[in-house]
Amino acid sequence: MIQVEPTKSIWKNRRIGITGASGSLGMALSTELRSKGSFVIGLTHGSTTQTFDSAKGPNKWIQWECGEERKLEEVFKGLDVLILNHGINPGGNLDLDGLNKAIEVNALSNWRLIEYFEKALSSQTIDSTAREIWINTSEAEIQPALSPSYEISKRLIGQLVSFKNNSLTNKQKKRLIIRKIILGPFKSQLNPIGIMNANTVAGQIIQKATSISNRLIIISPNPLTYLIMPMVELLRSLYFQLFKEKE
């Protein structure tokens, strides 16, 4: 009888950092990746002495704060994948404090983390292994989420990620894979009435990220998102090409 060897998981022995790791999706991603053999580092604003089921969540916790992204540069040097998943939702309040905080946490902090991860990558010896950044920009990038401050901040980081992706040369894209994750409403502390399950969403994200070519990951119950988001990305790409210097 011929024995067929099981397919080797591409996630085995990979070191993965996740911001917002103590949230519903962060925990679900951590647990799923650990089950596939990854070593997961949870990057959290909370306590690093959090106690969870030893089989769930990250293998290790590291504490950080928005505005202190530079301190993670050494951590980034040892990562294969950085998943940017942290965020806040001020709700429907129309106050400047809420807007400023949403922009800082949801957009500017993520942007700085992307820059420092790229810097850490450029300081390393070139090898054949591509590093990855996944950014959860949310469906709010293209449609209302009943929270103006949240929508504005998500649209900002969404455009910044599109800018970054289009500014990379073909050579840089072989070393750094940037994936944008567009999610519909899933149940979490930010959205207690979400209709999707975080564990199911995490499994689908990881499954879709298995393909190197899949740099736009969409998981939503809204069929329009699957039509509008790729179109938005295409139009942005065409626009950026007008200003990009030839390689």
Side-chain angles (χ1 to χ4, degrees), residues 15 27 63 101 133 141 152 156 164 166 176 178 191 193 202 214 219 244:
R15 292 179 65 86
M27 288 291 290
Q63 191 175 41
K101 189 171 183 180
I133 304 178
E141 185 183 340
I152 291 170
L156 175 56
K164 171 60 72 176
N166 284 282
L176 178 62
I178 299 178
N191 186 7
I193 60 172
N214 197 359
I219 301 172
K244 188 174 182 180

Side-chain angles (χ1 to χ4, degrees), residues 9 11 18-19 28 54 69 77 82 105 108 173 209-210 224:
S9 171
W11 309 112
I18 304 178
T19 65
S54 60
E69 292 81 8
K77 291 180 180 180
L82 173 62
V105 176
L108 300 182
K173 286 181 179 180
T210 301
L224 289 177

Side-chain angles (χ1 to χ4, degrees), residues 3-196:
Q3 292 185 343
V4 180
E5 292 187 9
T7 303
K8 183 179 179 180
S9 171
I10 68 167
W11 309 112
K12 188 173 179 60
N13 298 326
R14 301 191 83 182
R15 292 179 65 86
I16 300 177
I18 304 178
T19 65
S22 62
S24 299
L25 182 60
M27 288 291 290
L29 284 168
S30 299
T31 302
E32 183 71 16
L33 286 165
R34 281 189 62 181
S35 72
K36 296 182 181 300
S38 297
F39 184 89
V40 180
I41 299 174
L43 305 173
T44 179
H45 284 67
S47 171
T48 56
T49 60
Q50 300 175 77
T51 56
F52 296 107
D53 185 325
S54 60
K56 297 181 179 180
N59 299 87
K60 176 182 178 181
W61 291 95
I62 293 178
Q63 191 175 41
W64 73 288
E65 296 288 343
C66 289
E68 298 179 354
E69 292 81 8
R70 181 185 294 273
K71 294 181 179 180
L72 294 175
E73 193 172 339
E74 286 300 314
V75 177
F76 291 166
K77 291 180 180 180
L79 295 182
D80 298 299
V81 181
L82 173 62
I83 303 176
L84 301 181
N85 176 60
H86 66 284
I88 61 170
N89 187 348
N93 296 327
L94 295 177
D95 64 277
L96 287 179
D97 288 341
L99 174 60
N100 288 333
K101 189 171 183 180
I103 290 175
E104 171 63 23
V105 176
N106 296 345
L108 300 182
S109 175
N110 276 294
W111 178 248
R112 290 192 292 266
L113 289 171
I114 293 170
E115 293 285 277
Y116 284 121
F117 186 81
E118 188 177 21
K119 182 180 178 181
L121 175 60
S122 65
S123 69
Q124 294 178 307
T125 304
I126 296 176
D127 57 35
S128 59
T129 304
R131 304 296 196 270
E132 300 189 20
I133 304 178
W134 306 358
I135 304 98
N136 179 6
T137 71
S138 165
E139 206 172 38
E141 185 183 340
I142 58 169
Q143 65 185 34
L146 302 180
S147 176
S149 297
Y150 182 75
E151 294 161 17
I152 291 170
S153 62
K154 286 297 186 177
R155 288 168 189 167
L156 175 56
I157 187 56
Q159 291 185 347
L160 287 172
V161 172
S162 296
F163 176 88
K164 171 60 72 176
N165 237 336
N166 284 282
S167 69
L168 296 177
T169 65
N170 290 331
K171 183 177 180 180
Q172 289 171 326
K173 286 181 179 180
K174 291 179 180 179
R175 293 198 67 206
L176 178 62
I177 297 172
I178 299 178
R179 303 185 195 269
K180 181 182 285 189
I181 301 174
I182 308 296
L183 302 180
F186 61 90
K187 194 168 186 179
S188 67
Q189 291 180 340
L190 289 183
N191 186 7
I193 60 172
I195 60 176
M196 297 192 297

